[in-house]
Amino acid sequence: MSASQGSILRLSPADEVGVALRLLPAGVGLNGPDGGILIPAADIPQGHKIALVDLPAGATVHKYGQAIGRTTSAVAAGGHVHSHNLAMAETAAAYEFGTARFQPPAEEGRHFRGYRRRNGLAGTRNYIGILTSVNCSAGTARMIADQFRGPVLDAFPNVDGVMALTHSSGCGMVLGSPGAEVLFRTLSGYARHPNFAGLLVVGLGCEMLQADRLIDDTVSADVVERLVIQESGGVRASVRAGVELVRQMLPVVNRLQRIPIDAAELVLGMNCGGSDGYSGITANPALGVASDRLIGCGGTSVLAETPEVFGAEHLLTRRAVSRAVGERLLERLQWWQEYTGHGGGSLDNNPSPGNKAGGLTTILEKSLGAVAKAGRAELREVVDYAGRIRGPGLVFMDTPGYDPVSVTGIVAGGANVVCFTTGRGSVLGCRPAPSIKLGTNTELFRRMPEDIDINCGEIIDSGVGVEEMGARIFARILETASGRQTVSEELELGQEEFVPWQLGAVT
Amino acid sequence: MSASQGSILRLSPADEVGVALRLLPAGVGLNGPDGGILIPAADIPQGHKIALVDLPAGATVHKYGQAIGRTTSAVAAGGHVHSHNLAMAETAAAYEFGTARFQPPAEEGRHFRGYRRRNGLAGTRNYIGILTSVNCSAGTARMIADQFRGPVLDAFPNVDGVMALTHSSGCGMVLGSPGAEVLFRTLSGYARHPNFAGLLVVGLGCEMLQADRLIDDTVSADVVERLVIQESGGVRASVRAGVELVRQMLPVVNRLQRIPIDAAELVLGMNCGGSDGYSGITANPALGVASDRLIGCGGTSVLAETPEVFGAEHLLTRRAVSRAVGERLLERLQWWQEYTGHGGGSLDNNPSPGNKAGGLTTILEKSLGAVAKAGRAELREVVDYAGRIRGPGLVFMDTPGYDPVSVTGIVAGGANVVCFTTGRGSVLGCRPAPSIKLGTNTELFRRMPEDIDINCGEIIDSGVGVEEMGARIFARILETASGRQTVSEELELGQEEFVPWQLGAVT
Ligand SMILES: [Ca+2]
Ligand SMILES: [Ca+2]
Ligand SMILES: [Ca+2]
Ligand SMILES: [Ca+2]
Ligand SMILES: [Ca+2]
């Protein structure tokens, strides 16, 4: 990571573009990274790229020392480099497997205070979950959960909350299809999640995915109940019955106590959303440092968002522990090209209008920044969406980039703490897992102070090093796992953001 | 419709099977429709089919006088006819277009008391809607709506409620894809819905589907506001601002008054869910009578659920006003065969485990019963999912069968009242439209009395004729349109069931 050079940050010495650290007005000269004078030809918004040298049409442009695309017209030094003159070039990378394996230095004696569940897993929260098998029971589940908001929980200080997990599917699926399997895996993962000390599964009765299938011996919860609306006299009677069942769980769940647990039992889910030009230079690399620290402690860290890795996959295959793991990653990327192709799209569509407004031009550029979250640790495993994360070490989960869907898969897999980087201002919560929001820039932190846990913008404007910011994040992960509330938990966010990936036909 | 013959109902004189009106115990003889004695070889559950004659293997079996499948083994008279010995036969129907057009008798002077909106549409409810452009603003929208539950609305008796419409998409889509268009059409349809007198659109800011796109001159609401979280200081500040915006809407919306409006301005959405062996013989044909009555008044009625029409489409093409309308229906069915085929399924997968437990064996059998909802009126138009319903007359909307997705499309199209038939016990609400729940059997009505508006089981066990039941439904439609609360409205259901059809890749 290069130090800031005034108004322009060059990330790698050979880069032809720099990042504007503030709005660079047209015609106003400023010092370039090499000390020469650059005069922006047009206003260059904060976070966007400025040409540091004259670029002919067709020139390969580098950022992070990596190719991010090719100019579609000539750009003079000082010009704004973005969608109007930069497009993704075909990469002809020869994949290497396991040629860049790295194990973060071992670190001993790190603990958090968590809940030891009866199935052996470690919880970081103590929730009662109301899980639904089908959309038809969603209203009922919400009504039950709504009875436990506010002062009614004051008598149960060890209960973090009662939450409903509702979704839009569970019927109208093709039985046995990959889509039905993904939904089942997701719901089962939540049923098993170590942050649920109490679990109530609510079904309608005639749905394809029956409530009983979600309850088995692998759940973490000490108290497990089921309720089927068609067997219980309808909505009103089921709400009454469900409220009573939860009421009986409260004292049981409240008696559970936090105990010291080795940091090795943390499973850190990572994600980014509403990325901007700073994501890849502040919050993501700082999170990469924290991820490596956790892995050094014997813990597990989960990178995901397959479409956002596209273009940087050759960096990950080099880090794979085996050819099989690397090839599994490539196989998933291949699947994604077909999946998005069927919809008439391509993986290049991924940067949203918001991303582009923030200064990211191509998926490739975004991917390099996105992969920075995963630090340097070797890649141990590639798991399916919502598949059980076994760890330790760095695991890749195959998910969409879309935040609620991606994070839902990661939490279903067993993540007990999540770090989420955002430049534009995501407000995602993911209860029952705490979500630590890492802002990429100080302007965001000032604009939405109640939605950001840590301002990684200090890397740019307060001279905090990436290593130091990573250490802060790692410390916050341990504190959060021990019970410190995140901003999204204070707001009780995270019911609406439970969105299992819907794959396949709705019939 | 044949009258009940004791314990077994034969729907058409030439049918080889009858419907069990109660559990028929094995070995206990009973009178068949022709007066002869039938002895069930095994217990035949209520709603299931009993063989009235000896059937050899490979025999075509009729119900409603229509082929519903072929026996896969021989069945003796008295045998249980179901999935174990009946499968769907290929139909080789020669399609006819417009050969069975029928116009229900004209009926004058029918009115309801509704709201005349500024865009000319007629509303049946007076809601304030909080619509979200993306999942990321769902939590915020819910928090705003939650501030207006309970006594806080007592001072505004003409306001039916403040509701949040949240969904799981709005980003992570392929821009310009059919899936993105469907979502936009659905959200725009709700934004325009005549049951919203006040509208607040809440976005995050960096999403693909921007909040501003949902607001245009065609909306019904007198007061329209927008709120973008990233421009408004984050979640907490946006909730405060949104609550204040809604507070300012309340007196304006409360001043609006119901006035007499011709029944011709009703748009009746129809659906079924959790169907059973009674659906096609009680609630659906009775609803068909009510639908024809409304069309006779110059109103509009909407049949949907394309997969459930499969197998009975030849009945609808005969009723089409033109070859183009009939071919459009067939074209949609063709699309569906490909859509479900991609997922490794087929349209025969449609009866859910619940449907099968209720006695329905094949999609064909279910389709004949499903189409009964549409009465006899000629088919005027086929519209896309969530497309604007123009009417008058019978309109077909192309939707999945899955209840929340289908009804969401119909309400987006402009339905201002919905009738929903159910045998197993659906609890669907679809605010801002009222949903009148029609139970197919009395046992359901006894079991879930607070979830059913009208018990059509009386057709079976109280000798109420189908015409009479249809008249009761039609009267209830007018009353409901005039403000009478349905059971699902009393329960405030219908926020969770807003589920736009998700088509295409999530990226
Ligand atoms: Ca949800
Ligand atoms: Ca993203
Ligand atoms: Ca994401
Ligand atoms: Ca919803
Ligand atoms: Ca349905």
Side-chain angles (χ1 to χ4, degrees), chain A residues 287-306:
Chain A
L287 176 54
V289 169
S291 172
D292 281 345
R293 289 281 300 274
L294 178 62
I295 289 169
C297 293
T300 305
S301 190
V302 187
L303 181 70
E305 306 179 272
T306 318

Side-chain angles (χ1 to χ4, degrees), chain A residues 135 142 146 149 166 168-169 230 233-236 336 339 402 424-425 447 450-451 496 499 502 506-507, chain B residues 135 142 146 149 166 168-169 230 233-236 336 339 402 424-425 447 450-451 496 502 505-507:
Chain A
N135 178 263
R142 292 292 287 239
D146 281 351
R149 295 170 68 175
T166 66
S168 59
S169 188
Q230 288 171 349
V235 170
R236 210 183 296 267
W336 271 90
Y339 173 63
Y402 182 46
R424 303 269 295 171
R447 190 161 42 84
E450 294 174 301
D451 298 285
E496 292 291 325
V499 182
Q502 187 212 296
V506 179
T507 60
Chain B
N135 177 264
R142 292 292 288 238
D146 281 351
R149 296 170 68 174
T166 66
S168 59
S169 188
Q230 288 171 349
V235 171
R236 210 183 295 266
W336 270 90
Y339 173 63
Y402 182 45
R424 304 268 297 172
R447 191 161 41 81
E450 294 174 301
D451 298 285
E496 292 291 325
Q502 186 212 297
V506 179
T507 61

Side-chain angles (χ1 to χ4, degrees), chain B residues 271-273 305 308 400-403 406 420:
Chain B
N271 221 273
C272 55
E305 308 179 90
E308 303 189 14
Y402 182 45
D403 306 338
S406 179
F420 192 102

Side-chain angles (χ1 to χ4, degrees), chain A residues 2 99 175 245 395 447 483:
Chain A
S2 306
T99 52
L175 272 174
L245 288 171
V395 173
R447 190 161 42 84

